[in-house]
Structure formats: C-alpha cells, structure tokens
Amino acid sequence: MGALLRSEEMTLCQLFLQSEAAYTCVSELGELGLVQFRDLNPDVNAFQRKFVNEVRRCDEMERKLRFLEKEIKKDGIPMLDTGDNPDAPAPREMIDLEATFEKLENEMKEVNANSEALKRNFLELTELKHILRKTQTFFEEAEIHHTQAIHDPSLTDETMGLLGEEPYRSGQALKLGFVAGVILREKIPAFEKMLWRVCRGNVFLRQTEIVNPLEDPVTGDQVYKSVFIIFFQGDQLKSRVKKICEGFRATLYPCPETPAERREMAIGVMTRIEDLNTVLGQTQDHRHRVLVAAARNIKVWFIKVRKIKAIYYTLNQFNIESSQKCLIAECWCPVEDLDRIQQALRRGTERSGSSVPSILNKMGTKQTPPTYNRTNKFTEAFQAIVDSYGVSTYREINPAPFTIISFPFLFAVMFGDIGHGLIMAIFGIFLIIREKYFMAKKIEDEIFATFFGGRYIITLMGLFSIYTGFLYNDVFSKSLNVFGSSWFPIDPQTNKGYTSATLHGSTNLQLDPNTSYVGGGPYPFGLDPIWQMSSNKITATNSLKMKLSVIFGVTQMLFGVLLSLLNHRHFKNKLNIICEFIPQVIFMCSIFGYLCILVFYKWTHFTVSDLGKDPNLLIGLINMFLMQRKKTDVPMYPGQYGFEKFLVFLAFVCVPWMWLAKPLWLRHQHRFGQHHYQPLATQNGNLIDIDDEECIYHDEFDTKHTDDNEEEEFDFGDTFIHQSIHTIEYCLGCISHTASYLRLWALSLAHAQLSEVLWSMVMQIGLNFAFPIGVFLLVPLFAFWAGATVVVLVLMEGMSAFLHTLRLHWVEFQSKFYKGEGEKFQPFTFEDLTQYSVED
C-alpha cells in the first residue's frame, strides 16, 4: 500500500562506464527505462560535445529514411509493422546501415530522375501528338472555307488570309506564318486578351481543349491543357507572339506546313510514344520492387536509427575522464530497482566484451529527487488527471488511488441515469475489448486518442452512473417499478381509496403521507417510482440531493485533511500536526461535520407524522452562529443550544490556533532553541526532523534545490504572512468548498430535467398518436431522440459533469493535503523515441 500512497523512493547515483562498454550499457538502461540521467555539461554547446558527429550521422540516416518513407507513401505501398522492437545496433553496424541507406537513396534518386526525364519526354510527345491532330483539323477546316470562298465572293481577301490562304493584292501573294503549342486551360482567356492587345488584333488564334488530363512530370498532378495555333504576318508579330507565349509558360512545338509532313511526323511520334510507354513501365516496375523491399524493413530501420541517436544523445550528457578511458554519469533511479539496474549494466558490459565492470555508486545530495509513480494501463489515466494539476511533491501522498473510486462516483452523482450510464459503459467496454486492435492500428486522431486513453475511466463512470441511476430510479427520464410502490391512492378527507371515477376525472390529486403511505416501509432500493408521477417531484428530490451533496463534500474534504496527517507523519513534522492538522479537523467538524450529523438525525428522528414540524437546518446553522433563538423554537434534542455554542467557541478558538501558534513557536525556537538547524528545516515555517543518515532532504511546502553549504535564515515576517494566508484560505475555503459541492445537486437536477424535456418534446409526440399514424411518426422521432440523447445528454452533459468532477478533485479535495510542486521522473527509455525524431 505504501507504493500506491506515495511515489517511489529515489536516489542519486554515479555511473563509471568504460569507453568501450558505455554504448551497450546505456542501450541496456534504455531498454529498462528506470534511469533519468542528469546533464553534466550544461554549459557546453551541443556542437562541441563528444559524440556530436555520431548524432549528425543518425540525423542523416533518418533523413534518408524519411525520403524513402515519402516515396513509399507516394506509391501507396503498405509498410509492414510487425510490432517488433529490435535491440539497438552495435556501433559498427552504423556503417552497414549508412551504406544500405545511401545505396537505396541513390538508387531511388536515379530512378526518379530517369522517370522524370522519361515522363517529361512522354509529355512533350503527347502534346506534340495532340498538336499535329488539332492543327490538321484546323487546316482541313481552312480548305473547306477556301472552297466556299471560290463560290462565295462575299469573303474578302483579308478573311481568306486569316484562314491561311493566299489572296492576291496587286498581283503579289500574301504569305502568313503560324506557331502552334499547348497552354494550361485556365490561362486561355488571359492569353487571348494579351495577344489581342499587344498585336492590336493583327493575329488569328484558334484553340481547342485536350480532353484527357496530362500528368505533370515533376509533381505528378493531373493538369488540363489546350492546343492553340496562332496566324500572323511578319517577323515583328512573330517575335511578339513568341514572347507572349514564353510569358504565359506556353510550350511551342514545330509543326510542318504540308499535310504529308504532318502525317509523317505523327507516325514517328506515335512510334516513340509506344517505346516510351514500354520503358516507363519497366522503370516503374523496378521502382516498385525497390520500394516494396524497403517497405518490409523501414519501420525496423527507424527504430534502430532512433535508438542509436538516443544513446549518443545521452552519452553527450556524460563527463569524460581525463584519460579518455572512462565516462562518468549521474542519474536518478528508484531504490527498489537498483538490482535490476546493476544487472542491466552487467549485461551491457558482457555484450561489449569489456573486462572492466561498470560501477554504480549511491551519492548524497540535498536536491529534491523527481517524483516517480508506478502505473499500469488501468491507473495511468487516473494518474494523468492528478498530474495535470501538478506533479506531486517527492514522497507526499498520491491522490490517484483514491481518485479511482471518488472520481467516477462524483461524476455519477451528477450523471445518474441507467440508460445514459449504460451507453457510456458499453462504449468504454468496447474500447477495452478492442484494446489490442486499436493499439496496433496506432490511430493518430487526437479526439479518439483522448477517449481511448480514458477507456477505463469511461467504463467506471458508466457503471457508477448505472448505480446512481438505480438510486434515483431514473432511466431516460422514466422510473422502474420493480418492487411496487409503497404509496396507495387514499382520499385524505374520507380515508378511503379514490374511486375510479375520481381518478379518471381529476388531473391533480393529493396523497397525504399520513394516510396514503401504507406500504409498510420505504422503497427497497432507490426512489419510489410514484414520484415520477408527482408534480412536486423536483421539490422532494432537490432536498434529498442537496443534503447528499453536502454530506459527500464534507466527507471528502475531511478525508483530505486526514490524509495531510499522513504527510506530516512521513516528513516527521510534529509542529504541523499540532498547529495545523488538529485545529483544521476541529474547525471543520465543529461546523460542517455537525451539520452532516444533524442531517442524519433529522432523517432518522422525524417521520411523516412530523410533517411541518421538522426544523430547517439552514436556518438553524445561521442561528447557531448568530446565537439568536426564538422563544417558539423547539430544540431537536436536549441541550442543543448549549452544545452549539460550545462548537462555535471551538471553531473561533481554532482560527488563532492555526494562525499564531506556529509562527510564534518557530520564533521561540529560533531565539532560545537550536541555533544550528539543518537547511530547509524551517523554510517557509516548517520544522522538519531530519535523519542524519539520510542524504536527501525534503520540505513539505518548498522543493527548491539548495547547495550543500547553504543555510536559510529564519524570517518571522515571511513565516507569519505565509501562515496568515494559509489560515484565511483554509477557513474561507471550508465554507466556499462546501458550497461548491452543491454543484453535484445542481448538475444532477439539470441532467434529469434535460432528459425529461427531451422525452416529452420528442418521444411523447409520437406516443400520443394512435395506430397507424403513431407508428410512422415514432420511427423518425425515435431516431432524433436517440441522436439527441447521445450527442446532448451523453457527450455534452457528460463532458460538463467530467469537468465539474475534475474541479472538485483539484480544488476542493486535493487542496487539503496535496502541494503538487514536484518534478516528474523522466527516465531514459526506448518506449518513446519520437522525442529524438527531427522532421525536415
């Protein structure tokens, strides 16, 4: 139980490793994951350390692997992940890995370069093929227009010239030039406008779209292009047209003027395209084979490279002995695991073949060790909740074991519904059953990862919600009549049962507890189902849930104060027990503990026959402090008023007790007691007995690192201010925190009312219609009701209840004993190698 209540006992050790064995020893410690190394070279630049070249080589290998991974993903080849965890390769294996990666990278770059050149050539030939086809169409259309022009004198010479013909002016032939090419389809409108403006309308442009998309040889994207042909006259226009084409990145191709030459070129182009297709297919097959072979091992290669990098990164934190034969390291490690660490060092020494054993020595220090709480897959999520508030101070009480029960229970108090809890529990159990599958898939979605990480919390919250749902007798806003109601409809005026005519003819009937409660006792478990039908259900359940909220809150806070006693005893802080713990318990019990006792007393001593005569506890608590009573007030028990005055006196006495006793005693101790006290012994007003044989010093309130020769001066002013703040915070906190627990009642009420409103506004509509209309309405209405139930009542309300439960644990509960000022233990481990991965 001690390991659950507190973090592991840690010790600072010094490692002496032979140079030839340092790599394998660190590798074994990384597999073990129980050692946190300290950087002994904090002032040395990262580029000036011993193994910086090895780290750079690892970065280069990782870059090559990322290049291969990118190519593998581009081709859609699955990467085999068997879940293997290979050992870190020996240093000499780095050369083989570098050679393998270098060969694969060069081969892939060569294949990519050849493939890109072939694709670029293929693209040019394809574009040329389309140009030859389209221009042939253009010229055939021109011949048709020429034939029409012979029989149609309305066509002018200029029009014929633009069609590529040779009209005659003054006996001389007019010769037009043309250029042909391809351009991106989306650039055509701007291209036309530019040609018209620059050439002043003296060119003729024909263009048509290439139906099938073409592949960009560089990016691999599919692009849509168009073929164009431009007719012009003169070299000046030709120069302008070519510059415009160059500006719009249009590609120009040579196009013969005669049909015979165009056909001959087209045949040659088609032959070359067929040959290129064959070569491209062979190139892609070779590329695919290389990538498939790399995909089988790339996951393992990544692990090996990152392990090597992690080892050398860690070795850079070591000191090197002057003779260069020994590396010296300092590390934090759990005392309980020292034997396992020794065994790992022996295995590393044996693997290296060194004859000199590695040495592990415990060191004395006054620095506060890191906090290490052992967890498993069940407790990990609960520990994460606690650590989110603050990592526990070294060796103080860990709230996580208590959170395992209290967290889902308080959540369920606000979320109590059998149906909603069942949905949540089924989802959590599904995640647990499919745990191995989801872990193997390594889903990277952040939202799903959050739910999966909290699968055990979700399951417990669902199960506890089912339990509280039975207590509230609430399932989707309806009640279960399992044991039969203890109420019977009896007319309070006649003391006889209501007749059928009265029951069916009235919408509002009253049941007097003195006459109608004839069941012989309360409902066996939970709330009587008849309250579901009553109009004053909220009034009755509110009173019950409000009192339960206060009881749960005071109980948890008082438990937190009791846990602080364990901290004081562990740190041997007798002064805090006398001056803080005892007055805190008396203060809380004399006010709020007494209030809880009155609640139970009222439940057990006042029955339905005392309806209207029972005292109001809230008014009674106020009168208790005001010490004002009416003559008509009747005490709940003999001697009540005198006893309450005594409790108020105790509460007032506890305030100066907590406030003044500790600072005054410490000042007296400083003036007339020990003059040479240990460091940290009275820091922040805490007097701690320190074992002379223990090398590690702790302080309950302050975990600052101190030097070996540092001694702290006692400052009464600082101690007095600190204790004043602590006293005010506790006294006011007892009141505000107790009121804060009323959120249990408020959210429970809101959840129940939302569920009831959703049922009455949706499902009740379909149930009010008779057959067959009601059947057709129920299908869509049920779908909407089910969706709203999951989204609003389970997800959104569940998130709200979760956050409120989180606040109750962090502020109201943990503030009574938990400081959370520690530093988390971060061992050197190979389980998480992502921190050693550097993206491009």
Side-chain angles (χ1 to χ4, degrees):
M1 188 64 180
L4 290 175
L5 284 178
R6 303 186 185 280
S7 60
E8 293 290 329
E9 184 179 354
M10 308 293 290
T11 182
L12 183 64
C13 295
Q14 192 173 38
L15 275 174
F16 294 90
L17 306 175
Q18 294 299 310
S19 298
E20 61 272 15
Y23 181 92
T24 53
C25 288
V26 173
S27 172
E28 290 292 336
L29 293 177
E31 298 289 350
L32 191 61
L34 291 172
V35 172
Q36 175 181 329
F37 290 101
R38 297 176 59 192
D39 190 358
L40 301 182
N41 307 299
D43 299 327
V44 179
N45 189 286
F47 301 100
Q48 298 175 344
R49 302 201 177 193
K50 172 70 174 178
F51 301 99
V52 63
N53 291 330
E54 285 77 3
V55 174
R56 286 177 175 173
R57 290 167 60 189
C58 293
D59 286 337
E60 181 65 17
M61 287 191 290
E62 193 173 0
R63 183 196 61 78
K64 294 174 181 177
L65 286 176
R66 286 197 299 271
F67 168 74
L68 293 174
E69 183 183 34
K70 180 180 178 182
E71 296 297 320
I72 291 170
K73 289 181 178 179
K74 184 186 295 184
D75 282 20
I77 300 173
M79 291 177 284
L80 183 62
D81 187 2
T82 59
D84 293 339
N85 185 23
D87 294 334
R92 57 180 175 273
E93 294 183 32
M94 280 185 64
I95 301 176
D96 298 335
L97 289 175
E98 286 177 314
T100 301
F101 301 156
E102 183 73 20
K103 178 182 177 182
L104 285 173
E105 184 189 32
N106 292 336
E107 189 171 3
M108 283 308 305
K109 286 184 176 180
E110 183 179 357
V111 170
N112 288 345
N114 294 336
S115 178
E116 184 178 338
L118 291 172
K119 288 181 179 180
R120 184 178 290 106
N121 198 359
F122 180 79
L123 176 65
E124 293 173 354
L125 292 174
T126 304
E127 291 176 347
L128 181 58
K129 177 187 72 174
H130 287 289
I131 287 176
L132 294 174
R133 287 180 179 178
K134 302 300 181 181
T135 52
Q136 183 64 27
T137 303
F138 293 154
F139 285 116
E140 288 176 357
E141 292 176 355
E143 291 179 1
I144 295 174
H145 285 291
H146 174 64
T147 305
Q148 293 176 353
I150 296 175
H151 301 90
D152 189 359
S154 63
L155 290 175
T156 62
D157 291 347
E158 182 180 358
T159 305
M160 293 178 62
L162 292 176
L163 293 175
E165 303 300 327
E166 297 181 359
Y168 292 92
R169 287 183 180 177
S170 303
Q172 295 183 359
L174 178 64
K175 181 69 174 177
L176 295 179
F178 67 90
V179 293
V182 293
I183 190 173
L184 290 175
R185 189 178 298 177
E186 60 267 19
K187 294 183 178 181
I188 285 292
F191 184 60
E192 285 186 283
K193 290 181 181 179
M194 183 62 69
L195 281 172
W196 178 262
R197 292 175 179 175
V198 173
C199 300
R200 302 180 182 276
N202 293 320
V203 297
F204 181 67
L205 170 69
R206 294 290 303 275
Q207 61 89 16
T208 184
E209 297 177 353
I210 301 175
V211 178
N212 297 324
L214 304 176
E215 181 182 354
D216 191 309
V218 178
T219 63
D221 298 333
Q222 299 293 319
V223 294
Y224 290 88
K225 294 188 175 184
S226 296
V227 173
F228 66 87
I229 182 170
I230 305 173
F231 296 94
F232 52 83
Q233 182 183 8
D235 293 338
Q236 187 176 5
L237 283 179
K238 180 179 180 180
S239 175
R240 291 182 182 181
V241 168
K242 287 187 175 181
K243 287 183 178 179
I244 293 172
C245 292
E246 182 181 353
F248 279 86
R249 297 187 181 278
T251 307
L252 301 179
Y253 290 95
C255 182
E257 297 183 359
T258 63
E261 291 177 347
R262 286 196 291 271
R263 278 194 296 270
E264 183 180 354
M265 179 178 283
I267 294 172
V269 168
M270 293 301 297
T271 304
R272 292 176 62 188
I273 288 176
E274 292 177 359
D275 295 339
L276 272 178
N277 273 327
T278 304
V279 176
L280 270 173
Q282 294 175 351
T283 303
Q284 290 299 326
D285 290 341
H286 176 66
R287 169 189 168 88
H288 187 77
R289 286 194 300 271
V290 173
L291 292 178
V292 166
R296 296 194 191 101
N297 302 312
I298 192 165
K299 293 292 185 182
V300 175
W301 286 340
F302 264 119
I303 295 174
K304 288 184 175 181
V305 171
R306 287 172 180 170
K307 282 189 175 182
I308 297 173
K309 183 179 177 181
I311 292 172
Y312 282 117
Y313 182 86
T314 304
L315 288 175
N316 275 333
Q317 299 178 345
F318 295 1
N319 271 339
I320 302 177
E321 195 254 341
S322 57
S323 62
Q324 303 289 320
K325 295 181 179 180
C326 179
L327 275 72
I328 304 172
E330 292 182 6
C331 60
W332 293 105
C333 52
V335 174
E336 186 178 339
D337 296 314
L338 285 176
D339 291 338
R340 296 176 61 188
I341 296 172
Q342 291 277 18
Q343 293 175 3
L345 292 175
R346 281 195 290 268
R347 288 195 303 268
T349 304
E350 292 172 359
R351 280 179 51 193
S352 67
S354 175
S355 58
V356 181
S358 301
I359 301 174
L360 178 68
N361 289 332
K362 293 177 65 175
M363 296 176 59
T365 181
K366 295 176 183 177
Q367 294 186 2
T368 304
T371 301
Y372 175 41
N373 294 301
R374 294 185 192 271
T375 58
N376 51 39
K377 61 182 181 181
F378 177 74
T379 61
E380 184 179 10
F382 295 97
Q383 188 65 55
I385 289 177
V386 174
D387 291 344
S388 297
Y389 175 79
V391 179
S392 60
T393 306
Y394 177 68
R395 298 293 286 169
E396 78 170 339
I397 291 291
N398 181 21
F402 314 107
T403 305
I404 295 175
I405 299 299
S406 63
F407 193 93
F409 176 73
L410 292 183
F411 171 88
V413 171
M414 296 180 277
F415 197 75
D417 189 288
I418 299 173
H420 302 157
L422 188 63
I423 294 173
M424 186 172 290
I426 290 174
F427 177 67
I429 293 172
F430 168 75
L431 293 178
I432 293 174
I433 294 175
R434 302 282 288 173
E435 183 178 88
K436 293 183 179 179
Y437 170 78
F438 288 125
M439 292 179 69
K441 290 283 289 183
K442 296 181 179 178
I443 300 176
E444 297 180 357
D445 183 73
E446 186 176 355
I447 296 178
F448 178 80
T450 302
F451 282 110
F452 181 72
R455 57 194 179 277
Y456 291 100
I457 298 180
I458 294 174
T459 303
L460 286 180
M461 290 191 303
L463 295 177
F464 275 80
S465 297
I466 295 174
Y467 170 73
T468 54
F470 276 111
L471 288 178
Y472 299 156
N473 202 351
D474 201 354
V475 49
F476 297 124
S477 78
K478 298 301 173 184
S479 295
L480 300 175
N481 191 4
V482 180
F483 304 103
S485 176
S486 299
W487 293 76
F488 188 78
I490 295 178
D491 191 340
Q493 297 180 356
T494 62
N495 290 333
K496 295 181 180 180
Y498 284 111
T499 62
S500 299
T502 306
L503 290 174
H504 289 288
S506 177
T507 58
N508 188 12
L509 298 176
Q510 183 176 358
L511 299 181
D512 188 349
N514 293 307
T515 58
S516 300
Y517 191 69
V518 295
Y523 195 68
F525 188 83
L527 200 64
D528 196 300
I530 198 171
W531 286 106
Q532 179 65 33
M533 305 167 57
S534 65
S535 59
N536 62 336
K537 173 187 175 182
I538 295 179
T539 305
T541 55
N542 273 0
S543 176
L544 174 65
K545 291 180 180 180
M546 189 185 301
K547 293 181 176 64
L548 286 176
S549 300
V550 173
I551 292 172
F552 291 152
V554 173
T555 302
Q556 189 178 33
M557 289 191 296
L558 188 58
F559 179 65
V561 176
L562 293 176
L563 289 178
S564 68
L565 174 64
L566 300 181
N567 278 336
H568 299 326
R569 293 187 61 185
H570 176 78
F571 295 117
K572 300 179 181 179
N573 200 331
K574 299 176 183 177
L575 184 61
N576 277 3
I577 296 176
I578 299 172
C579 298
E580 288 186 359
F581 169 73
I582 295 177
Q584 285 176 357
V585 171
I586 296 175
F587 183 85
M588 181 171 289
C589 291
S590 61
I591 301 176
F592 302 102
Y594 175 69
L595 177 62
C596 294
I597 294 174
L598 289 182
V599 172
F600 285 106
Y601 185 86
K602 182 177 178 180
W603 282 344
T604 56
H605 287 73
F606 290 86
T607 62
V608 291
S609 60
D610 301 314
L611 191 63
K613 301 177 183 178
D614 53 325
N616 188 306
L617 298 182
L618 181 59
I619 299 298
L621 184 65
I622 295 174
N623 290 334
M624 171 181 167
F625 279 91
L626 296 179
M627 296 183 183
Q628 295 178 357
R629 301 287 180 177
K630 295 181 181 179
K631 295 181 179 179
T632 57
D633 291 346
V634 179
M636 296 176 63
Y637 57 89
Q640 175 189 356
Y641 300 150
F643 182 65
E644 289 180 351
K645 291 180 181 179
F646 173 71
L647 293 179
V648 173
F649 173 76
L650 281 181
F652 278 107
V653 167
C654 289
V655 175
W657 187 354
M658 285 185 285
W659 181 21
L660 301 174
K662 184 176 176 180
L664 294 176
W665 173 257
L666 289 176
R667 187 178 67 169
H668 174 78
Q669 188 77 8
H670 175 68
R671 287 183 176 180
F672 308 105
Q674 301 175 358
H675 293 281
H676 301 286
Y677 45 91
Q678 296 286 352
L680 294 178
T682 59
Q683 185 170 349
N684 287 332
N686 291 289
L687 185 61
I688 301 176
D689 297 335
I690 300 177
D691 190 350
D692 293 337
E693 297 180 358
E694 181 63 52
C695 297
I696 300 172
Y697 295 81
H698 329 293
D699 182 76
E700 185 179 357
F701 291 96
D702 200 328
T703 58
K704 296 180 181 177
H705 293 196
T706 58
D707 296 329
D708 292 345
N709 297 323
E710 181 181 354
E711 290 195 8
E712 300 235 353
E713 291 294 333
F714 174 77
D715 191 330
F716 177 75
D718 290 346
T719 305
F720 181 79
I721 293 174
H722 177 272
Q723 195 64 22
S724 301
I725 296 173
H726 181 73
T727 302
I728 296 172
E729 180 184 11
Y730 179 80
C731 295
L732 296 181
C734 286
I735 301 173
S736 62
H737 292 173
T738 303
S740 179
Y741 274 95
L742 292 176
R743 72 184 68 235
L744 298 175
W745 151 64
L747 266 75
S748 175
L749 171 65
H751 185 77
Q753 289 303 300
L754 278 175
S755 180
E756 188 171 345
V757 168
L758 185 62
W759 178 274
S760 61
M761 297 292 289
V762 180
M763 288 296 292
Q764 196 68 41
I765 296 176
L767 295 174
N768 288 336
F769 285 90
F771 182 82
I773 299 177
V775 175
F776 291 102
L777 281 177
L778 276 178
V779 175
L781 288 176
F782 175 79
F784 178 80
W785 174 81
T789 296
V790 173
V791 175
V792 178
L793 296 179
V794 177
L795 286 179
M796 295 179 63
E797 279 287 299
M799 180 61 69
S800 174
F802 180 88
L803 293 176
H804 282 282
T805 309
L806 205 61
R807 183 244 154 77
L808 288 177
H809 279 78
W810 282 354
V811 180
E812 278 71 24
F813 174 54
Q814 292 180 188
S815 63
K816 300 298 182 293
F817 67 96
Y818 187 72
K819 302 305 173 186
E821 299 174 350
E823 179 182 348
K824 191 173 183 179
F825 179 61
Q826 297 177 333
F828 170 65
T829 177
F830 290 148
E831 290 184 1
D832 183 16
L833 293 171
T834 55
Q835 57 180 320
Y836 302 104
S837 173
V838 179
E839 298 297 334
D840 290 334

